[in-house]
């Protein structure tokens, strides 16, 4: 089974993303991924190099469409508290709308591979810590703009928000009701003084 002449790389990465999202990285061998993509293992290696390299592409695709992408962009037009509220609300909706209850591919992979896989673990760690740094920048921007109390511990608050997001992305695997997810999230945002509709 050679690689089809009309091989669509973007579609292949999306298909691989959905497989890894559903089953986890370790269960998605080169053999199983090749079969689902309709190509030979040789064609798989020719197209992607390694399974780790494919995962890197999968992660980039996933992060580009993740409900918290708004937090990864440059400084927003809206107030920071409003941005966090809107983003977390969108995350609750996206997770509840996923009938398969897959949670977050990135966070699933962190739990599966960090401190286990020497190649992919550090990539995932970098992604999470990068998100944390971006949250700190957003919070500091809010402080600088006078929107957020200047006495706030920016780093601790960013850690709490990252923890909330990671927890939400795991809890949604068992609590699939959007209202319940949002009530839990809203309560924490309000406790951190980060809630603003």
């Amino acid at each position: 089974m050679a690689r089809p002449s009309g091989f669509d790389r973007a579609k292949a990465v999306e298909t691989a993303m959905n497989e890894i999202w559903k089953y986890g990285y370790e269960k998605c061998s080169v053999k199983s991924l090749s079969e689902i993509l309709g190509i030979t293992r040789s064609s798989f290696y020719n197209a992607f190099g390694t399974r780790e390299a494919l995962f890197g592409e999968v992660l980039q695709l996933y992060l580009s469409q993740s409900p918290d992408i708004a937090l990864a962009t440059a400084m927003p037009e809206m107030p920071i508290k409003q941005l966090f509220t809107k983003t977390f609300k969108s995350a609750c909706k996206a997770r509840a709308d996923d009938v398969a209850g897959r949670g977050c591919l990135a966070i699933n992979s962190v739990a599966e591979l960090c401190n286990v896989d020497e190649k992919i673990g550090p990539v995932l760690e970098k992604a999470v810590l990068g998100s944390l740094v971006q949250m700190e920048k957003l919070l500091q921007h809010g402080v600088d703009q006078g929107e957020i109390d200047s006495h706030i511990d920016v780093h601790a608050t960013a850690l709490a928000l990252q923890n909330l997001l990671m927890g939400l992305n795991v809890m949604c695997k068992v609590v699939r009701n959007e209202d319940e997810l949002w009530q839990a999230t809203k309560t924490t945002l309000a406790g951190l003084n980060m809630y603003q509709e």
Side-chain angles (χ1 to χ4, degrees):
M1 181 171 43
R3 189 169 75 192
S5 58
F7 181 75
D8 184 335
R9 185 185 186 84
K11 182 68 178 162
V13 172
E14 183 179 2
T15 299
M17 177 186 76
N18 285 312
E19 283 296 295
I20 293 169
W21 196 354
K22 183 175 182 180
Y23 297 109
Y25 177 77
E26 288 301 334
K27 296 246 178 175
C28 293
S29 65
V30 170
K31 181 179 183 293
S32 67
L33 288 170
S34 298
E35 287 173 0
I36 202 85
L37 296 176
I39 58 176
T40 64
R41 278 196 264 187
S42 175
S43 293
F44 177 95
Y45 289 118
N46 286 335
F48 303 110
T50 63
R51 186 171 63 134
E52 291 87 358
L54 172 59
F55 182 81
E57 291 187 48
V58 160
L59 185 61
Q60 287 307 310
L61 174 62
Y62 178 80
L63 294 175
S64 74
Q65 60 191 33
S66 180
D68 61 329
I69 187 66
L71 299 179
T73 56
M75 290 305 134
E77 301 282 322
M78 70 177 68
I80 298 301
K81 289 182 184 182
Q82 209 171 65
L83 173 68
F84 278 114
T85 300
K86 182 178 178 183
T87 301
F88 275 90
K89 199 169 200 177
S90 293
C92 290
K93 177 169 178 32
R95 298 303 173 226
D97 285 350
D98 181 8
V99 294
R102 295 172 295 178
C104 170
L105 181 144
I107 299 309
N108 294 348
S109 299
V110 164
E112 178 186 9
L113 301 168
C114 275
N115 303 314
V116 173
D117 188 290
E118 293 177 358
K119 293 179 182 174
I120 296 178
V123 171
L124 292 162
E125 184 178 331
K126 182 178 177 183
V128 171
L129 294 178
S131 173
L132 177 64
V133 167
Q134 177 62 14
M135 285 188 184
E136 286 189 51
K137 287 180 183 175
L138 291 168
L139 291 168
Q140 189 58 56
H141 178 73
V143 169
D144 295 343
Q145 297 300 308
E147 176 198 349
I148 295 173
D149 187 337
S150 61
H151 295 99
I152 187 176
D153 184 329
V154 170
H155 181 66
T157 304
L159 284 168
L161 289 167
Q162 183 70 47
N163 187 55
L164 173 61
L165 186 59
M166 292 174 82
L168 166 64
N169 283 318
V170 173
M171 188 168 70
C172 69
K173 288 174 156 257
V174 291
V175 177
R176 299 191 186 161
N177 179 283
E178 182 182 350
D179 290 336
E180 288 186 345
L181 290 173
W182 175 235
Q183 286 306 312
T185 303
K186 179 180 176 182
T187 299
T188 304
L189 287 173
L192 293 169
N193 195 22
M194 287 293 136
Y195 172 75
Q196 181 183 318
E197 290 282 357

